[in-house]
């Protein structure tokens, strides 16, 4: 899922911060077999035209997988941003690689 990124203020009102937010659900037999407290982390790369401002992974009990929350600020909106992400546990890759190109605004 892609949406406008925001920051929750102290009064719980959400303010847009100019970022783009992505929610990526990772599921599959390897992830389903892990305990929800397993040390799952994300391995994320964002192209030179983007700046990562949030990278958070948590267990999703509905899918029995993990959800990556990723927020990116685009430096030049006339150029695309390439992104890739996978879930890891130490040096072991747990998921397929999610790949996405945020298109340029023309």
């Amino acid at each position: 899922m892609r949406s406008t990124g925001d920051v929750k203020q102290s009064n719980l009102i959400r303010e847009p911060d100019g970022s783009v937010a992505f929610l990526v659900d990772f599921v599959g037999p390897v992830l389903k077999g892990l305990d929800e407290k397993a040390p799952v982390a994300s391995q994320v790369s964002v192209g030179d035209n983007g700046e990562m401002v949030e990278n958070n992974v948590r267990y999703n009990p509905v899918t029995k997988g993990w959800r990556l929350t990723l927020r990116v600020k685009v430096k030049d909106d006339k150029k695309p941003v390439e992104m890739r992400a996978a879930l890891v546990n130490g040096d072991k890759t747990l998921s397929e690689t999610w790949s996405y190109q945020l298109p340029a605004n023309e």
Side-chain angles (χ1 to χ4, degrees):
M1 179 178 106
R2 174 184 159 186
S3 70
T4 303
D6 56 29
V7 176
K8 197 185 302 179
Q9 304 298 316
S10 58
N11 58 4
L12 301 179
I13 294 174
R14 293 184 176 275
E15 291 286 330
D17 67 353
S19 67
V20 181
F22 297 89
L23 298 178
V24 183
D25 282 318
F26 289 91
V27 295
V30 172
L31 295 172
K32 198 171 269 192
L34 292 176
D35 182 84
E36 66 183 80
K37 293 181 179 29
V40 174
S42 63
Q43 198 169 59
V44 177
S45 67
V46 176
D48 293 342
N49 192 36
E51 175 190 351
M52 186 168 31
V53 292
E54 183 179 355
N55 173 2
N56 187 336
V57 178
R58 51 176 70 136
Y59 181 71
N60 183 344
V62 174
T63 64
K64 299 201 178 4
W66 270 259
R67 174 170 283 178
L68 168 65
T69 302
L70 179 64
R71 284 192 311 122
V72 174
K73 279 197 177 177
V74 178
K75 294 177 183 176
D76 180 353
D77 68 357
K78 305 244 182 305
K79 298 178 184 173
V81 179
E82 300 278 344
M83 294 170 280
R84 294 167 60 84
L87 298 184
V88 296
N89 180 335
D91 61 356
K92 182 181 179 192
T93 302
L94 301 173
S95 70
E96 292 182 354
T97 299
W98 169 79
S99 181
Y100 186 80
Q101 182 185 67
L102 184 60
N105 286 336
E106 295 181 21

